[in-house]
Amino acid sequence: MQITILGAAGEVTGSGYLVQTARANVLIDFGMFQGRGAGDEKNREIDPVVPARLDAVVLTHAHLDHVGRLPLLVGLACAVHATHASCALAELILRDSAKIQEGDAVRENRSKERTGATPDAVALYGTAEVDAIVSRMRGHEYEQWIEVADGITARFQDAGHILGSASVELRVTEGGSTKTVVFSGDVGQKCMPILRDPVPCPPADLVFLESTYGDRNHRPAEETFAELRAILEQSAWQKRKVLVPSFAVGRAQLLLHVLAEIARDGRSPVVPVYLDSPMAIRATEIYSKFPDDFDDESRGLARSGQARREFANVNLCVTPQQSRDLNESWDPAIVIAGSGMCDGGRILHHLRHNLWRHGVQVLLTSFMGQGSLGRKLVDGAQSVRIFREDVVVRADVRTVGGLSAHAGQGGLIEWFMGTSKKPAAPRVVLTHGEDRQRGVLAQALTGMGGCTVIQPKRFEVIEI
Ligand SMILES: [Zn+2]
């Protein structure tokens, strides 16, 4: 068996692995390259790496950096296996991505036409390609072994990262011997609301481990949530308008969970909550369909109908006009809007209309990439440029760190050690982390002894 690394090698996007035996070709994830320097060409580059015949695709979870290039596999004739919830979320995320790709191509062509150039921009993919992928998706339960190709079975184990997220355990039989390979997917933090804790890595011959936060530990989740609650309760007493930029999948549902808890406690005045993101609204609806994947507390709230009653109290902004009305309002409110890093979406309008005002609060809870507007706010910018206008920052900007959907170094090591207190595998391959982060994690793992650590480059082939 050989496994080719297709992306997320020394970076945090473009996850993908090609598992090949004499009898089968199986793809694990096929994510989009995102962020600065992720050229379109890198995303379009398919032929050199993916064979014409694939027997199966297996997905760890629905984030775009793990599923975003699937629609490029024109003529894909095999099943795409994932947990039930991942199938639902992947459809939402891929449809949104197709709309963005199509919109970008139209805009680029318009601008080319204005300059007299040939309008030759083509969308990376569109809705038709996504339809084709969605029709191939097959949903599965956690912990069930499924045959995905000749000689290859797979099992999903909860990774506690977003709804439906999983580590994938593959058993590959070749020439009379069976090997176990585990792909961690993105590993979540323990003790996060809504989700269950990650299931530790089972014993394996080879493990692929993410390393996004391989160089640091998050502070304990309880401290982070206590700080978040304290800020929100204080702003309720102060009758503030609070703007919370948020990713649509995962973060928005976590924020709603915390706000529902605050309302239940009743220690601070009730402030209307607005979810101003059609995609976050749809993602929240999908979350509500999979209570069996929740932790005990959230499953109880869902089963008793309380979660539904509490969600009914949230004001949903579906239309742009509803969002615009909210832009102008000076009333106390908590507004959750995308995008998470403030580099697009409706949050930009909210910031433009409110950042200059004393008394407004901006609550930053997400990772903010270099160069994003969110990062400028975290760094204490006095003025920022939004829609080609300078806007002075008079709002109170607060940052709450530690809410990451990724485990820190300690969590990654704990996951990899499994339940037997010795490394789950003799070889571990570090991916999905920038070189510095995975380098520090590699040192920590090597120092513990008992395993060889590999830090591959893109297209490197691991033999087993
Ligand atoms: Zn992820």
Side-chain angles (χ1 to χ4, degrees):
M1 167 185 18
Q2 64 176 42
I3 300 170
T4 309
I5 317 282
L6 303 182
E11 57 183 324
V12 292
T13 61
S15 271
Y17 309 90
L18 177 64
V19 180
Q20 292 181 289
T21 68
R23 294 182 287 168
N25 296 319
V26 173
L27 202 54
I28 311 291
D29 287 348
F30 200 47
M32 189 176 277
F33 293 96
Q34 296 169 283
R36 292 187 156 197
D40 217 22
E41 288 315 304
K42 211 164 155 190
N43 277 324
R44 289 179 195 266
E45 195 177 37
I46 300 296
D47 294 346
V49 289
V50 179
R53 191 201 60 144
L54 274 175
D55 298 284
V57 180
V58 183
L59 302 179
T60 62
H61 66 289
H63 273 148
L64 196 63
D65 59 329
H66 292 255
V67 306
R69 294 206 296 159
L70 283 175
L72 294 173
L73 299 175
V74 183
L76 182 75
C78 65
V80 178
H81 301 281
T83 62
H84 292 293
S86 285
C87 289
L89 285 175
E91 178 175 355
L92 173 72
I93 286 172
L94 286 174
R95 291 202 185 286
D96 179 67
S97 174
K99 247 177 27 193
I100 291 170
Q101 310 294 335
E102 288 172 331
D104 283 353
V106 168
R107 263 191 301 280
E108 196 179 331
N109 280 335
R110 266 198 216 123
S111 128
K112 282 186 168 180
E113 279 176 317
R114 281 196 291 270
T115 61
T118 312
D120 54 0
V122 181
L124 191 59
Y125 52 80
T127 307
E129 286 88 345
V130 173
D131 286 342
I133 291 299
V134 168
S135 73
R136 301 243 154 240
M137 285 185 180
R138 305 283 178 268
H140 301 279
E141 302 289 334
Y142 284 105
E143 301 291 341
Q144 309 273 315
W145 283 101
I146 49 169
E147 184 169 5
V148 296
D150 191 6
I152 303 183
T153 55
R155 168 165 85 145
F156 297 103
Q157 292 195 296
D158 203 329
H161 169 65
I162 58 166
L163 184 78
S165 66
S167 303
V168 172
E169 183 180 2
L170 277 194
R171 280 196 190 149
V172 183
T173 305
E174 249 191 327
S177 85
T178 299
K179 301 279 185 204
T180 301
V181 183
V182 176
F183 299 86
S184 71
D186 289 352
V187 179
Q189 287 199 70
K190 284 174 109 170
C191 302
M192 294 297 272
I194 306 173
L195 302 173
R196 294 183 294 231
D197 287 350
V199 174
C201 186
D205 298 287
L206 181 67
V207 170
F208 289 81
L209 174 60
E210 71 122 322
S211 53
T212 312
Y213 290 112
D215 63 334
R216 77 192 81 159
N217 280 311
H218 307 303
R219 64 180 171 162
E222 307 84 68
E223 280 178 31
T224 307
F225 284 101
E227 183 189 3
L228 182 62
R229 272 193 286 267
I231 293 173
L232 288 165
E233 283 173 357
Q234 191 189 31
S235 52
W237 284 111
Q238 292 170 334
K239 297 189 169 30
R240 287 178 175 220
K241 183 176 186 181
V242 184
L243 305 178
V244 195
S246 172
F247 299 111
V249 178
R251 180 53 43 90
Q253 293 73 39
L254 190 149
L255 290 165
L256 291 174
H257 176 94
V258 171
L259 289 165
E261 250 177 13
I262 291 173
R264 229 175 290 143
D265 286 352
R267 287 188 308 212
S268 53
V270 176
V271 177
V273 175
Y274 293 85
L275 185 55
D276 186 13
S277 157
M279 190 165 166
I281 293 168
R282 285 199 293 275
T284 308
E285 286 162 357
I286 291 175
Y287 264 64
S288 72
K289 288 182 184 153
F290 296 93
D292 288 347
D293 292 352
F294 295 168
D295 65 8
D296 291 346
E297 184 201 357
S298 288
R299 197 180 322 116
L301 291 169
R303 290 257 169 80
S304 68
Q306 188 167 347
R308 199 176 51 248
R309 287 193 294 278
E310 286 171 343
F311 186 54
N313 292 331
V314 176
N315 301 283
L316 306 179
C317 299
V318 179
T319 66
Q321 187 55 48
Q322 288 169 318
S323 181
R324 276 195 288 273
D325 292 346
L326 198 51
N327 286 162
E328 308 280 348
S329 162
W330 289 50
D331 294 335
I334 295 164
V335 182
I336 301 170
S339 74
M341 293 194 196
C342 312
D343 43 11
R346 292 181 177 180
I347 194 69
L348 284 183
H349 296 273
H350 290 293
L351 291 171
R352 179 182 176 220
H353 284 270
N354 293 282
L355 260 184
W356 58 274
R357 290 175 44 207
H358 290 291
V360 167
Q361 185 156 67
V362 180
L363 184 53
L364 304 172
T365 69
S366 308
F367 171 79
M368 300 293 171
Q370 285 294 347
S372 65
L373 175 61
R375 175 57 74 93
K376 290 186 183 115
L377 293 172
V378 169
D379 292 343
Q382 302 289 304
S383 165
V384 289
R385 209 161 168 76
I386 304 174
F387 300 131
R388 286 183 233 127
E389 242 178 47
D390 290 321
V391 182
V392 65
V393 181
R394 293 200 187 101
D396 173 33
V397 179
R398 298 287 295 269
T399 305
V400 177
L403 276 181
S404 177
H406 289 266
Q409 188 194 74
L412 292 171
I413 291 174
E414 193 180 334
W415 180 85
F416 176 60
M417 293 300 281
T419 47
S420 62
K421 300 293 168 219
K422 66 176 179 37
R427 282 200 294 169
V428 55
V429 183
L430 298 184
T431 54
H432 204 287
E434 288 173 2
D435 278 331
R436 203 178 74 79
Q437 279 76 9
R438 71 171 175 171
V440 176
L441 181 61
Q443 266 181 354
L445 290 168
T446 307
M448 284 165 27
C451 66
T452 306
V453 184
I454 302 162
Q455 300 179 67
K457 292 190 176 60
R458 190 169 174 224
F459 299 140
E460 203 164 312
V461 177
I462 313 276
E463 301 273 350
I464 174 166

